[in-house]
């Protein structure tokens, strides 16, 4: 790449550019790794009505467009089935690889409400917001689901449920999470080249369809500058 030229840019810059057009997409499909991340989704909430993205890394071949495009151009191109597109993605990876088929459909109009209930949980939580101490005898033992080999991306729903101590508040959070994540599909393992490369297990019972970097102490200074952090703390 010539000096001064880059093919990369920050998510908040992308969000700013797209919203400045005053055009909101019906949907955006991110054929890119790790984009079903609550911090990124919150930045992009005004750019599209819906977002399709994965909590994991996506294989180099990307989305199986031969299977997905028919779902996006149904009724002669007059309608689309975003849940069907997600199912097609998951089915393709299940049949061809048997792993890395995690995909989520996010309703961007629900991101503000998700931030609101998350802020309430964090404000009343007595747990360590950075990372639960699984060796602390006063804390229930918990293994947080990660979506990469460097322990940077964790399951958002599982983590917030872990730190939330109030049953009614937890129920309110999960209800809002279900409104935000319209549909989600996953296989029971994924491949990561980040950190320690290799295959990792996914527990479908805790898979919420969204990840977060909140429990991680990696890049902590940058995390504290995100719009999501400022909206929830």
């Amino acid at each position: 790449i010539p000096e001064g030229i880059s093919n990369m840019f920050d998510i908040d810059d992308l969000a700013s550019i797209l919203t400045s057009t005053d055009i909101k997409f019906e949907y955006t499909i991110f054929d890119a790794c790790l984009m079903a991340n609550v911090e990124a989704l919150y930045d992009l909430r005004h750019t599209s009505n819906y977002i399709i993205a994965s909590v994991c890394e996506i294989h180099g071949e990307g989305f199986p467009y031969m299977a997905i495009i028919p779902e996006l151009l149904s009724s002669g191109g007059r309608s689309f089935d975003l849940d069907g597109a997600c199912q097609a993605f998951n089915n393709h990876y299940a049949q061809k690889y048997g792993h890395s088929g995690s995909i989520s459909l996010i309703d961007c109009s629900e991101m503000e409400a998700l931030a609101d209930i998350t802020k309430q949980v964090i404000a009343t939580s007595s747990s360590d917001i950075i990372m639960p101490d699984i060796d602390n005898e006063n804390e229930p033992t918990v293994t947080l689901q990660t979506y990469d080999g460097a322990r940077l991306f964790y399951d958002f729903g599982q983590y917030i449920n872990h730190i939330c101590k109030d049953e009614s508040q937890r129920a309110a959070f999960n209800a809002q999470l279900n409104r935000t994540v319209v549909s989600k599909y996953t296989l029971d393992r994924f491949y990561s080249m980040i950190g320690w490369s290799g295959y990792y297990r996914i527990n479908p019972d805790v898979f919420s369809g969204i990840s977060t970097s909140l429990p991680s102490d990696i890049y902590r200074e940058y995390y504290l500058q995100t719009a999501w952090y400022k909206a929830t703390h």
Side-chain angles (χ1 to χ4, degrees):
I1 300 174
E3 185 177 354
I5 298 177
S6 174
N7 62 351
M8 298 180 292
F9 45 83
D10 292 334
I11 296 298
D12 54 352
D13 289 336
L14 173 63
S16 177
I17 292 168
L18 292 177
T19 53
S20 68
T21 66
D22 292 326
I23 298 173
K24 178 179 283 189
F25 298 118
E26 286 288 344
Y27 61 87
T28 299
I29 296 177
F30 280 102
D31 195 346
C33 301
L34 308 164
M35 287 300 293
N37 169 264
V38 73
E39 293 86 18
L41 293 169
Y42 189 75
D43 275 347
L44 296 163
R45 67 193 183 282
H46 297 307
T47 65
S48 306
N49 291 325
Y50 295 94
I51 287 177
I52 292 177
S54 176
V55 296
C56 301
E57 292 155 74
I58 294 177
H59 278 271
E61 72 170 86
F63 274 66
Y65 290 103
M66 291 295 288
I68 288 178
I69 287 178
E71 303 294 339
L72 303 178
L73 296 174
S74 55
S75 302
R78 293 186 297 273
S79 63
F80 49 83
D81 182 354
L82 299 182
D83 178 70
C86 290
Q87 290 187 54
F89 177 93
N90 179 262
N91 290 337
H92 172 79
Y93 277 91
Q95 295 168 11
K96 186 170 183 178
Y97 298 103
H99 60 81
S100 299
S102 302
I103 199 72
S104 306
L105 174 59
I106 310 299
D107 184 344
C108 295
S109 69
E110 296 290 343
M111 287 301 300
E112 294 280 5
L114 185 65
D116 290 342
I117 185 61
T118 301
K119 183 174 184 176
Q120 295 174 37
V121 172
I122 290 174
T124 58
S125 172
S126 60
S127 294
D128 183 352
I129 297 302
I130 295 179
M131 188 63 181
D133 182 1
I134 61 175
D135 296 321
N136 185 341
E137 63 181 11
N138 296 318
E139 285 281 348
T141 300
V142 60
T143 300
L144 293 179
Q145 176 69 60
T146 58
Y147 295 116
D148 67 290
R151 299 182 66 83
L152 174 60
F153 297 94
Y154 292 82
D155 191 90
F156 173 67
Q158 183 196 25
Y159 178 66
I160 297 300
N161 273 273
H162 170 66
I163 67 172
C164 184
K165 306 305 180 185
D166 182 88
E167 290 292 339
S168 61
Q169 194 176 59
R170 185 182 297 117
F173 168 79
N174 286 322
Q176 180 56 51
L177 182 61
N178 289 333
R179 288 190 290 270
T180 306
V181 183
V182 178
S183 58
K184 58 184 179 179
Y185 301 92
T186 190
L187 302 177
D188 62 2
R189 64 183 185 138
F190 66 95
Y191 181 78
S192 176
M193 292 187 66
I194 299 176
W196 292 95
S197 62
Y199 294 94
Y200 293 85
R201 304 294 298 181
I202 288 182
N203 182 353
D205 292 334
V206 303
F207 174 70
S208 68
I210 299 183
S211 70
T212 181
S213 295
L214 178 57
S216 178
D217 58 2
I218 303 175
Y219 307 123
R220 193 67 190 168
E221 181 179 344
Y222 295 100
Y223 180 85
L224 300 180
Q225 300 174 27
T226 63
W228 173 258
Y229 176 84
K230 295 173 182 177
T232 56
H233 290 74

